[in-house]
Amino acid sequence: MSAHRRKPTTRNRRRHPSRRRRPGRTLLVTGCALVALAGGGAWYVYRDLAAGIGSSKALEGAEKSSSGDSNILLMGLDSRRDQNGEKLPEEVLEKLHAGSSDIGGYNANTLILLHVPGDGSRAKAFSVPRDDFVDIPGHGKDKIKKAYGLAKEKKQEELAARGVKDGRQREQEGREAGRAAQIETVRNFLGVPIDHFAELNLAGFYHLADALGGVPVCLNKAVKDPYSGADFPAGPQTLDGRQSLAFVRQRHGLSRGDLDRTRRQQAFLAGATKKLNSAGTFTDPAKLIKLIDAAKQDVVTDEGWDLLAFVKQAKNLSGGKVQFTTLPIEGFGRNHGEDINVVDDMKIKRLIAEQIGPKDSAAPGTPGAPSSPSPSPAPSFSREAAPPPSSPPSPSVPSTSQDVGGIPCVD
């Protein structure tokens, strides 16, 4: 492990067991958005998909972009439970190498803002590191990933206090509160409107990757990690659902830990879009049915999202024309015994505005916009002394070192 990140101690791993098994499950939500992009005229498939997936009112009344562009928040939950809060079957958990259903929580461990320009120009995807230390409305400063779970728990406690005994009702209303809180937190942090969102859990990622019939990836060197289950040779290869999940979840043995895992998620997304764009995916009825079924059982989107209109707007996504950026951090610290990423809020807002254009930045005084150009207040946490990184984290650092057949290779 390099100086970028302190290697977790055995004691810390025992204290926070969920840190071993945090999944990266970006692809299901992204794949569902991209299903239609390579399919040409199969509109019946799109209509079936749009009608069958779960819907949410979490964005009701929220600010929207006014330029014709779309900002879409992709959220992946660290949850081993289904949409009703029921435990996933043990045989499923075994395949996922994910441990007990009691381990997973409701942290949004994958957060990606996908910006799709209305003029058809290149789309941009911004990965938000899950441990960024930010303001969470109604809670104070904490890791950005916690906004969902904190709001969900608070809502469920309120419902229980009011005498609501229906477990499914508490679960559904709690999740709606969690979605709204996570979206608001990201919107405030980035300073831009969020027009749509898509959410999935651990099983959802597995189902989509498996439905695709394997996703191509490439590794610069062989890896073997007992925590995630990653065990792959070097070079290009095609991974099934179980292997794919292990690939994007691995952080142990990577020089930059979570930040390198974010690069793996981006590389995997590139491989998945390539697979989605292949003719075979959409001419094989069995594959199509599996893909649609995966979306129906595991994906939740905002109620007002017109997927057919999005398909027409975002055709460039299926051609691999997506620029990936990992938002920068200033360093590492500790807060109440947990590792955190120290971030500069105003720097992040400026970077986003420069990348996607001021026309999409929230105006001062609107939700998600900075109220003034004054610098952010000093972080209210105790920071432990640590060796400085050899080079500052940067969003412009290349995510790959080589490219094989259009598939990026990663460490």
Side-chain angles (χ1 to χ4, degrees):
M1 186 75 72
S2 72
H4 288 286
R5 194 61 142 172
R6 293 179 300 278
K7 186 174 182 179
T9 63
T10 302
R11 183 182 64 179
N12 286 339
R13 289 200 297 267
R14 286 197 302 264
R15 182 177 298 173
H16 305 290
S18 64
R19 295 177 68 89
R20 295 183 181 180
R21 303 179 175 90
R22 290 167 176 152
R25 57 202 89 47
T26 307
L27 259 295
L28 180 59
V29 289
T30 306
C32 291
L34 299 181
V35 164
L37 304 181
W43 292 102
Y44 71 97
V45 174
Y46 313 154
R47 284 193 291 268
D48 189 33
L49 174 64
I53 63 176
S55 63
S56 164
K57 297 181 182 295
L59 272 176
E60 198 170 64
E63 174 197 9
K64 303 289 184 179
S65 298
S66 58
S67 60
D69 298 358
S70 292
N71 294 325
I72 302 163
L73 180 62
L74 309 176
M75 301 190 298
L77 298 185
D78 185 18
S79 174
R80 278 77 164 165
R81 295 174 180 266
D82 64 19
Q83 293 184 31
N84 295 315
E86 301 295 334
K87 295 181 178 181
L88 295 177
E90 290 300 323
E91 60 270 21
V92 173
L93 292 172
E94 184 177 353
K95 290 180 180 179
L96 301 182
H97 199 83
S100 168
S101 292
D102 296 325
I103 294 176
Y106 288 90
N107 289 334
N109 278 342
T110 299
L111 292 167
I112 295 179
L113 182 75
L114 178 64
H115 174 74
V116 184
D119 61 7
S121 58
R122 191 178 192 184
K124 298 181 179 180
F126 301 91
S127 295
V128 183
R130 64 186 183 178
D131 290 342
D132 283 3
F133 196 63
V134 305
D135 287 308
I136 297 178
H139 177 73
K141 293 184 77 73
D142 213 325
K143 296 182 181 183
I144 195 168
K145 68 180 182 182
K146 289 187 175 183
Y148 193 114
L150 289 169
K152 178 181 182 293
E153 182 179 11
K154 181 179 179 181
K155 181 65 175 180
Q156 289 181 310
E157 289 176 350
E158 292 174 353
L159 292 171
R162 285 162 38 194
V164 176
K165 298 181 179 180
D166 188 328
R168 288 199 173 190
Q169 179 183 347
R170 292 199 302 266
E171 178 72 15
Q172 291 169 2
E173 291 192 32
R175 287 201 179 193
E176 281 289 82
R179 291 164 188 143
Q182 191 67 66
I183 291 167
E184 182 181 5
T185 300
V186 174
R187 181 173 58 224
N188 291 347
F189 181 47
L190 302 185
V192 293
I194 293 178
D195 302 285
H196 303 292
F197 83 92
E199 168 201 306
L200 79 160
N201 62 11
L202 177 59
F205 174 85
Y206 170 87
H207 289 147
L208 177 75
D210 196 50
L212 286 175
V215 174
V217 301
C218 180
L219 282 169
N220 289 322
K221 57 186 178 182
V223 297
K224 188 170 185 177
D225 172 38
Y227 298 117
S228 65
D231 186 1
F232 309 118
Q237 52 206 286
T238 298
L239 308 181
D240 62 20
R242 179 185 60 80
Q243 294 170 325
S244 297
L245 192 58
F247 176 80
V248 296
R249 288 176 60 220
Q250 184 184 2
R251 68 186 179 93
H252 293 282
L254 304 179
S255 61
R256 286 162 55 91
D258 275 350
L259 300 182
D260 275 342
R261 181 165 66 173
T262 297
R263 294 184 181 184
R264 283 185 166 217
Q265 294 173 5
Q266 295 167 354
F268 189 84
L269 179 56
T273 55
K274 181 179 177 68
K275 188 66 176 285
L276 281 165
N277 199 39
S278 67
T281 303
F282 293 92
T283 57
D284 186 328
K287 288 183 179 180
L288 273 176
I289 291 172
K290 287 183 67 177
L291 199 59
I292 294 170
D293 284 345
K296 285 181 176 179
Q297 64 180 315
D298 298 308
V299 177
V300 174
T301 68
D302 57 288
E303 191 174 56
W305 193 357
D306 184 345
L307 292 180
L308 300 185
F310 176 72
V311 166
K312 297 177 182 179
Q313 179 190 41
K315 290 180 180 179
N316 59 315
L317 289 179
S318 65
K321 299 176 182 178
V322 181
Q323 176 184 325
F324 292 99
T325 297
T326 300
L327 295 181
I329 66 173
E330 303 304 308
F332 305 107
R334 300 277 288 177
N335 180 61
H336 298 302
E338 294 184 329
D339 293 330
I340 60 171
N341 297 332
V342 181
V343 294
D344 183 332
D345 297 45
M346 296 304 297
K347 180 179 179 179
I348 295 294
K349 289 180 175 66
R350 287 194 298 269
L351 183 150
I352 293 291
E354 291 169 358
Q355 289 288 318
I356 67 177
K359 64 181 180 179
D360 290 305
S361 298
T366 60
S371 57
S372 70
S374 59
S376 301
S380 57
F381 58 85
S382 61
R383 185 173 179 182
E384 296 181 350
S390 56
S391 60
S394 168
S396 62
V397 173
S399 294
T400 60
S401 59
Q402 60 176 310
D403 189 274
V404 177
I407 301 299
C409 288
V410 296
D411 291 333

